[in-house]
Amino acid sequence: MKYNGLYFWMFQGSMKKVLTETYDRRYAEEIMRKSKKVYRDLIEYGDDIGDDNPMLFNELCVLVFVAPYLASEKKISVDVVRKMIHKSLDHVKFFFSMTNLNTAKGKAQSLKSIHRYVEWYTPEKEAKYPTSFKVDFVGRPSEDACYYRITRCPIYLYTKKLGAEELIPLFCELDHTMIHLQHGILHREQTLASGGQYCDYWITGDKER
């Protein structure tokens, strides 16, 4: 993948703050210094899923939090990584809260990026980027439901390949958190990380009955 340091730049301050509060400033500075190089390597040596991939940002964001964990040689606890994720989200939650999943407009916005990806991931693109996200709408409970599922996830595959599969549940939790910020609820039966055949996303507004 082509290196993009935007997301590391966005979240490095929050991650450093959590590390400083948990350990000390010197250790936090050391880990963050190492993390920058680790993050670059993770991107550059990761499978190419297309620089114009509409879902590329998902993987670039997640790898930000994998980087300090690996840079510390896994000495940072999983719980501390969880805290870094939530601390980082505090700085961008206003952006996500602008979408209201209790409304038809909000649901349409939520599905827009997914439909854009499905249209982008043509058979030709799949042949070129065989490890990218695989998305379908099988099992949709109703025609107007905000629903889709992911049957292949490069985030799951790459994190497992890196030997950091203990972090994967955090990224599954992140789905619930992000949808909650959009005033919604994620109803999920299974994930790839839990041994399922897919990660399902059935999203409703938090005020719906």
Side-chain angles (χ1 to χ4, degrees):
M1 291 183 286
K2 183 178 179 181
Y3 178 69
N4 183 333
L6 173 63
Y7 301 106
F8 189 87
W9 174 80
M10 285 175 59
F11 300 140
Q12 63 180 339
S14 298
M15 294 193 295
K16 182 178 179 181
K17 185 171 183 179
V18 171
L19 290 174
T20 300
E21 292 172 350
T22 306
Y23 304 103
D24 57 54
R25 182 178 177 181
R26 183 177 179 180
Y27 184 70
E29 291 177 345
E30 176 188 355
I31 295 302
M32 292 310 301
R33 176 177 53 78
K34 292 180 179 179
S35 297
K36 190 171 184 179
K37 182 182 184 304
V38 171
Y39 182 64
R40 177 183 286 274
D41 289 343
L42 288 176
I43 293 176
E44 293 184 341
Y45 292 108
D47 287 348
D48 184 10
I49 62 173
D51 292 337
D52 60 338
N53 188 321
M55 293 181 68
L56 176 61
F57 80 96
N58 291 283
E59 186 165 358
L60 295 180
C61 283
V62 164
L63 290 177
V64 168
F65 305 106
V66 176
Y69 184 67
L70 295 181
S72 73
E73 299 180 346
K74 300 186 180 182
K75 293 177 182 178
I76 295 174
S77 72
V78 172
D79 188 55
V80 169
V81 177
R82 179 184 283 108
K83 289 178 181 177
M84 289 194 291
I85 292 173
H86 286 281
K87 188 70 173 179
S88 297
L89 283 180
D90 283 343
H91 291 288
V92 294
K93 64 182 181 181
F94 69 94
F95 174 76
F96 294 98
S97 65
M98 293 171 64
T99 298
N100 189 342
L101 291 167
N102 290 292
T103 66
K105 180 180 179 181
K107 289 186 176 66
Q109 289 175 332
S110 180
L111 283 172
K112 184 177 180 180
S113 61
I114 294 300
H115 282 287
R116 186 157 57 97
Y117 176 75
V118 170
E119 292 172 3
W120 177 85
Y121 202 48
T122 61
E124 292 74 21
K125 287 285 177 61
E126 183 169 12
K128 187 175 182 179
Y129 309 117
T131 60
S132 188
F133 297 90
K134 186 74 172 178
V135 181
D136 64 41
F137 303 96
V138 176
R140 194 172 187 176
S142 64
E143 186 63 29
D144 61 344
C146 184
Y147 173 92
Y148 59 94
R149 66 179 196 169
I150 294 176
T151 58
R152 184 175 63 232
C153 176
I155 295 172
Y156 164 68
L157 294 173
Y158 193 25
T159 306
K160 188 176 181 180
K161 180 180 178 181
L162 291 167
E165 56 266 30
E166 57 270 27
L167 296 184
I168 298 173
L170 301 186
F171 308 143
C172 296
E173 291 175 17
L174 187 55
D175 291 331
H176 289 273
T177 302
M178 300 294 285
I179 290 169
H180 174 71
L181 291 176
Q182 296 176 323
H183 315 285
I185 298 173
L186 173 60
H187 307 274
R188 169 173 279 171
E189 295 182 355
Q190 59 182 289
T191 63
L192 294 166
S194 64
Q197 295 183 323
Y198 52 80
C199 301
D200 54 332
Y201 292 75
W202 181 18
I203 303 167
T204 63
D206 57 14
K207 293 183 180 179
E208 290 186 54
R209 295 183 179 179

